[in-house]
């Protein structure tokens, strides 16, 4: 449990660096990320390098005992480089190149740009690979930020043709897989293929899905190119990339395989304001703390992307600048977010940024320091967390650096599949339905019951889980089917599971495709509803509403919930269940509680806005609401010892307890 900051020495006079380093140390900061946007400072003219500032700033940080995460500067290529290779620019869906003057002005598929990346990363890695301050490298910055994964230029088309040839071998195989007999779309050769933009009406969904997969694979290859260089010149350092919130445009599981740690950038208030998933009421209630599951959902998702190792590379420290509205966090919210991250297994929480910049795009974005270097509110909260980490370690009777060994996995797994997300976004059928949002609401229901959840990739090991939820596992292939069949815990498959083949066609036996082999049922029709329509649901497992998506299920399985017409909504027996509709929050929660009970898991109906997380025998509670909440965790056969806070949780409050066996 360590603290860090994002720092830009190139933004400040050299005379300030030592003071900054000392201030960081005083706040308990151990890690500093530098360099990720510094290409034009390093290489102002082609092949003319200015290393002095980076040499000196790394030395200052090192002498102060700080550890450096060095960013490769490839998210911001300099102007001269773009002018040299204009075809490296990404092209938007309307066919226009995206210009210079901000950042991320490149397409992942550009081979010319990849060569430039190879050059600059090699030079940097040779120079700093063994620098004693450098303990880690961040590749690039936020792949895909500002909508830069799908690009529609010549470089992207060239990459797509190669990708398709490798996948299909023959054009006939592609035509068949895509169903190109429809609307006379058949191609005679791979050379004829175009990108799925600028078509008169909707392009073929199979075409779009393959294009999305190809673009995602370009990100994987682009990242891998940098990883290979860094491993060669800087062995033993942790390689990491910083992912984003509610961002699914590339397969993070695939990128994560090449990295040592998954990190992400968490801006709870910015996302609350900006995202369509949140209701007006939620935006009001959680205005200053963010939604209670925003942090947890992403911590658990990204922890599953790199073998369980998680960092927070950028933590919101105050108001940001980029959301439609940018309110201030509640007093204590920065502390709350930091502890929530640690409770989900984060090894590091690093604040963005150390000092607010008085210039350029992000001048209204807070830092731990204000532009005049005085301490902003979050500096005190970071210092407080630093002291509390010591308190927790001493209550456990272990050294501070041993806290990382506390287990962070839960007993419930939620399967998250990027491919399913693209597939369902391509043809949502009801605009009210989004795979990501539905998965988030399922996660929310589990967390409101006090359950600790792991969000896992398809094909992950299932053996440690008592309960598994597939929110909408669109494609069920033989391998997944065998795994599900062997799974001994309680399984819930959600609506749209098994509804498409890998090439985006309806399976011969209809949805849920191969899943029907272990859950005998068939989906005969779908009622895809607008946002304003909710239908009544009743049954043995409770009553409430369904919305967005409602399948007509034909089955002999016992019916646990049914719709107004008496048709099945939730069916199953023993340990296998199928849900054909999106349920409202409260019915979803009671259904999850029944499943958890069948799985032998203890649940608690938490007060609104309160969340709970366990790591080994440490219990964390968080209050995201604006009111004080009373909550004492109870476990059969255990007694509870308070370490930080009490059963009275102030607004934005945190309490930590230890759980001891009584027998
Ligand atoms: C992130 C980005 C940072 C900074 C920050 C502002 O998306 O990685 O460079 O822009 O947002 O909140």
């Amino acid at each position: 449990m360590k603290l860090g900051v994002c720092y830009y020495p190139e933004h400040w006079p050299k005379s300030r660096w030592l003071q900054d380093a000392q201030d960081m140390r005083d706040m308990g900061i151990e890690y500093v990320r530098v360099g990720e946007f510094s290409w034009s400072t390093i290489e102002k003219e082609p092949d003319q390098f200015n290393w002095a500032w980076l040499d000196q700033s790394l030395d200052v940080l090192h002498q102060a005992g700080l550890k450096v995460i060095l960013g490769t500067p490839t998210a911001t290529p300099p102007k001269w480089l773009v002018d040299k290779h204009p075809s490296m620019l990404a092209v938007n869906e309307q066919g226009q190149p995206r210009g210079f003057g901000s950042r991320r002005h490149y397409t992942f598929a550009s081979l010319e740009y990849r060569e430039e990346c190879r050059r600059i990363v090699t030079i940097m890695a040779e120079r700093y690979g063994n620098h004693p301050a450098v303990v880690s490298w961040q590749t690039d910055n936020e792949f895909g930020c500002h909508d830069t994964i799908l690009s529609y230029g010549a470089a992207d088309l060239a990459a797509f043709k190669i990708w398709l040839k490798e996948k299909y071998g023959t054009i006939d195989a592609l035509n068949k897989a895509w169903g190109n007999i429809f609307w006379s779309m058949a191609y005679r050769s791979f050379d004829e293929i175009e990108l799925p933009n600028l078509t008169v009406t909707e392009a073929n969904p199979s075409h779009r899905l393959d294009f999305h997969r190809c673009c995602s694979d370009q990100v994987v290859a682009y990242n891998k190119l940098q990883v290979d260089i860094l491993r060669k010149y800087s062995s033993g350092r942790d390689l990491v990339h910083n992912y984003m919130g509610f961002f699914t445009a590339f397969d993070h599981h695939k990128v994560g395989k090449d990295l040592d740690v998954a990190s992400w950038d968490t801006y709870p208030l910015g996302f609350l304001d900006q995202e369509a998933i949140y209701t007006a009421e939620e935006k009001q209630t959680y205005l200053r703390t963010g939604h209670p599951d925003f942090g947890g959902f992403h911590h658990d998702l990204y922890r599953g992307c790199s073998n369980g190792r998680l960092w927070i590379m950028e933590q919101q420290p105050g108001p940001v600048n980029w959301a439609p509205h940018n309110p201030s966090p509640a007093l204590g919210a920065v502390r709350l977010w930091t502890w929530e991250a640690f409770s989900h297994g984060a090894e590091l929480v690093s604040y963005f940024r150390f000092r607010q910049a008085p210039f350029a795009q992000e001048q209204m974005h807070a830092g731990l320091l204000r532009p005049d270097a005085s301490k902003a509110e979050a500096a005190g909260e970071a210092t407080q967390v630093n002291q509390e980490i010591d308190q927790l370690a001493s209550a456990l009777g272990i050294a501070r650096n041993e806290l990382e060994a506390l287990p962070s996995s839960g007993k419930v797994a939620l399967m998250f599949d990027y491919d399913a997300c693209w597939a369902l976004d391509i043809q949502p059928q009801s605009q009210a339905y989004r795979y990501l949002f539905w998965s988030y609401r399922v996660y929310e229901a589990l967390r409101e019951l006090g359950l600790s959840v792991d969000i896992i990739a398809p094909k992950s090991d299932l053996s440690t889980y008592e309960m598994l939820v597939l929110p909408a596992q669109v494609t069920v292939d033989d391998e997944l089917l065998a795994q599900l069949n062997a799974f001994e815990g309680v399984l819930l498959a959600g609506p749209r599971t098994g509804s498409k083949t890998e090439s985006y066609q309806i399976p011969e036996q209809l949805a849920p495709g191969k899943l029907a082999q272990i859950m005998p049922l068939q989906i005969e029709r779908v009622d895809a509803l607008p946002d304003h329509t909710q239908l009544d649901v009743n049954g043995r497992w409770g009553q409430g509403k369904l919305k967005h998506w409602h399948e007509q299920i034909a089955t002999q399985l016992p019916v646990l919930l049914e719709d107004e017409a008496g048709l099945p909504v939730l069916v199953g027996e023993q340990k296998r269940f199928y849900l054909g509709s999106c349920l409202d929050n409260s019915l979803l929660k009671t259904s999850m509680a029944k499943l958890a009970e069948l799985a032998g898991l203890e649940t608690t109906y938490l007060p609104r806005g309160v969340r709970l997380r366990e790591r080994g025998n440490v219990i964390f509670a968080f209050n995201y609401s604006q009111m004080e909440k009373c909550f004492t965790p109870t476990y059969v056969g255990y007694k509870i010892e308070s370490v930080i806070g009490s059963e009275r949780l102030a607004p934005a409050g945190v309490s930590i307890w230890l759980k001891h066996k009584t027998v």
Side-chain angles (χ1 to χ4, degrees):
M1 296 183 186
K2 300 182 183 89
L3 300 179
V5 278
C6 303
Y7 182 53
Y8 300 89
E10 70 274 29
H11 294 180
W12 310 105
K14 204 159 90 182
S15 56
R16 179 73 211 180
W17 296 348
L18 186 58
Q19 181 67 51
D20 284 342
Q22 278 162 0
D23 287 350
M24 291 174 197
R25 287 306 305 250
D26 291 347
M27 288 176 205
I29 304 293
E30 286 181 65
Y31 280 65
V32 188
R33 185 193 64 179
V34 299
E36 81 279 8
F37 299 125
S38 63
W39 198 335
S40 72
T41 312
I42 291 171
E43 193 181 18
K44 198 168 163 212
E45 302 283 344
D47 291 319
Q48 287 180 25
F49 294 96
N50 170 14
W51 298 113
W53 71 275
L54 192 50
D55 289 352
Q56 287 166 27
S57 53
L58 291 188
D59 289 346
V60 168
L61 295 171
H62 181 54
Q63 276 152 23
L66 293 156
K67 298 184 176 106
V68 169
I69 302 164
L70 191 53
T72 67
T74 51
T76 48
K79 175 79 169 105
W80 58 260
L81 194 145
V82 179
D83 290 344
K84 188 172 155 199
H85 307 292
S87 67
M88 65 176 268
L89 291 172
V91 174
N92 70 13
E93 207 175 338
Q94 287 68 46
Q96 293 146 346
R98 306 188 68 185
F100 181 84
S102 62
R103 60 179 172 183
R104 303 214 55 76
H105 33 275
Y106 70 83
T107 175
F108 292 91
S110 166
L111 298 181
E112 286 171 328
Y113 187 54
R114 283 196 201 171
E115 277 317 303
E116 293 286 1
C117 292
R118 188 192 307 281
R119 188 179 62 82
I120 191 72
V121 174
T122 305
I123 296 172
M124 269 183 92
E126 278 175 338
R127 187 171 188 92
Y128 298 113
N130 293 312
H131 192 290
V134 176
V135 296
S136 165
W137 291 82
Q138 175 185 294
T139 55
D140 203 281
N141 190 75
E142 290 192 340
F143 292 146
C145 189
H146 317 304
D147 194 14
T148 49
I149 299 296
L150 300 188
S151 166
Y152 301 87
D156 311 293
L157 178 58
F160 190 38
K161 285 179 181 171
I162 294 169
W163 189 93
L164 289 172
K165 252 186 228 164
E166 265 171 33
K167 177 166 179 181
Y168 292 105
T170 67
I171 198 68
D172 288 348
L174 178 146
N175 282 326
K176 186 155 185 261
W178 288 9
N180 279 341
I181 192 151
F182 193 76
W183 286 354
S184 264
M185 291 183 294
Y187 298 100
R188 291 170 303 162
S189 76
F190 287 100
D191 291 337
E192 286 187 346
I193 306 261
E194 294 181 7
L195 297 176
N197 64 325
L198 300 174
T199 49
V200 173
T201 183
E202 185 187 349
N204 186 333
S206 305
H207 185 175
R208 291 174 66 192
L209 182 57
D210 269 345
F211 179 59
H212 205 133
R213 289 168 173 157
C214 169
C215 289
S216 172
D217 284 354
Q218 301 309 309
V219 181
V220 177
Y222 176 94
N223 180 66
K224 179 78 168 33
L225 180 150
Q226 300 203 7
V227 162
D228 288 346
I229 298 165
L230 296 169
R231 296 237 184 263
K232 179 166 170 200
Y233 294 104
S234 192
S235 82
R237 269 72 176 180
D238 282 325
L239 303 189
V240 59
H241 179 77
N242 55 334
Y243 306 127
M244 290 179 288
F246 287 126
F247 190 82
T248 53
F250 66 89
D251 190 332
H252 295 54
H253 293 126
K254 278 195 187 169
V255 168
K257 280 205 175 103
D258 294 323
L259 297 166
D260 301 304
V261 187
S263 80
W264 76 288
D265 299 342
T266 170
Y267 293 93
L269 303 193
F271 278 96
L272 181 83
D273 191 62
Q274 155 183 294
E275 291 296 319
I277 182 172
Y278 297 122
T279 62
E281 194 270 335
E282 286 173 317
K283 290 186 187 203
Q284 186 60 43
T285 307
Y286 301 117
L287 179 78
R288 301 194 186 281
T289 49
H291 187 269
D293 296 302
F294 173 74
F297 177 81
H298 292 94
H299 299 323
D300 292 337
L301 173 65
Y302 293 133
R303 200 180 61 247
C305 287
S306 279
N307 287 327
R309 289 193 63 195
L310 173 73
W311 292 357
I312 308 308
M313 194 61 87
E314 299 180 12
Q315 170 64 66
Q316 174 168 1
V320 299
N321 63 300
W322 45 261
H325 316 88
N326 295 289
S328 292
L331 215 62
V334 173
R335 168 179 175 254
L336 169 88
W337 298 328
T338 307
W339 272 116
E340 174 95 55
F342 288 142
S343 79
H344 290 256
E347 299 169 6
L348 168 71
V349 176
S350 162
Y351 302 97
F352 181 93
R353 46 188 279 160
F354 184 59
R355 180 169 166 189
Q356 182 173 350
F359 43 74
Q361 279 91 330
E362 294 179 350
Q363 49 188 278
M364 294 300 286
H365 192 300
L368 293 184
L369 303 190
R370 302 190 182 100
D372 68 352
S374 61
K375 284 189 177 148
E377 291 72 3
E381 296 189 28
T383 311
Q384 183 182 350
V385 173
N386 180 45
Q387 290 155 359
E388 290 170 339
I389 297 172
D390 282 333
Q391 236 175 298
L392 175 60
S394 89
L396 283 162
I398 59 176
R400 190 178 158 119
N401 61 9
E402 288 170 323
L403 287 168
E404 261 164 40
L406 290 170
S408 50
S409 305
K411 288 280 163 223
V412 180
L414 184 148
M415 192 173 282
F416 192 86
D417 184 6
Y418 287 92
D419 204 75
C421 186
W422 309 330
L424 297 179
D425 280 354
I426 284 172
Q427 280 199 341
Q429 187 72 355
S430 160
Q431 278 178 17
Y433 176 92
R434 294 263 327 259
Y435 171 83
L436 174 64
F437 293 174
W438 167 239
S439 302
Y440 184 92
R441 293 305 184 188
V442 171
Y443 176 89
E444 174 187 46
L446 293 164
R447 299 282 296 129
E448 284 178 343
L449 293 165
L451 293 163
S452 294
V453 178
D454 287 2
I455 302 184
I456 59 168
K459 318 282 158 77
S460 301
D461 176 16
L462 303 176
S463 60
T464 58
Y465 299 110
E466 305 295 343
M467 177 169 161
L468 169 66
V469 184
L470 316 180
Q473 194 58 34
V474 175
T475 303
V476 176
D477 61 14
D478 290 330
E479 191 184 342
L480 180 61
L481 182 71
Q483 258 195 311
L484 297 178
N485 197 22
F487 179 60
E488 288 175 3
V490 169
L491 168 65
L492 175 71
R496 309 190 80 168
T497 297
S499 60
K500 301 285 173 190
T501 64
E502 195 275 342
S503 53
Y504 214 74
Q505 300 196 6
I506 295 172
E508 264 175 55
Q509 63 279 49
L510 306 187
K514 295 187 174 176
L515 187 76
Q517 292 175 34
I518 60 166
M519 287 187 197
L521 62 103
Q522 195 180 48
I523 307 307
E524 296 179 327
R525 183 156 93 158
V526 172
D527 195 16
L529 300 162
D531 213 8
H532 50 74
T533 307
Q534 303 207 346
L535 307 178
D536 286 332
V537 180
N538 284 292
R540 274 200 268 155
W541 276 22
Q543 61 180 52
K545 302 274 184 197
L546 67 80
K547 53 189 183 178
H548 303 165
W549 191 267
H550 179 32
E551 292 172 353
Q552 185 173 308
I553 306 172
T555 188
Q556 299 301 316
L557 288 169
V559 178
L560 306 162
L561 292 175
E562 59 189 32
D563 67 8
E564 294 155 327
L567 293 170
V569 167
L570 176 60
V571 299
E573 59 191 345
Q574 293 173 0
K575 291 189 161 191
R576 289 176 184 168
F577 300 86
Y578 185 88
L579 171 66
S581 311
C582 298
L583 301 179
D584 74 90
N585 171 274
S586 131
L587 187 55
L588 192 55
K589 190 159 53 171
T590 47
S591 304
M592 292 297 171
K594 298 263 186 220
L595 294 166
E597 195 187 322
L598 290 171
L601 299 169
E602 277 184 65
T603 56
T604 325
Y605 281 81
L606 294 170
R608 183 155 194 242
V610 173
R611 291 293 180 274
L612 202 63
R613 186 100 197 356
E614 290 182 45
R615 282 191 73 180
N617 68 330
V618 187
I619 318 290
F620 301 84
F622 306 98
N623 181 8
Y624 283 83
S625 78
Q626 298 171 15
M627 284 171 296
E628 183 182 278
K629 299 276 162 126
C630 279
F631 175 75
T632 317
T634 49
Y635 301 89
V636 180
Y638 289 87
K639 73 175 193 321
I640 295 296
E641 174 201 349
S642 163
V643 179
I644 287 166
S646 67
E647 73 287 351
R648 293 164 78 92
L649 281 155
V654 177
S655 292
I656 304 178
W657 297 272
L658 302 186
K659 179 177 163 191
H660 302 288
K661 261 205 160 77
T662 45
V663 276

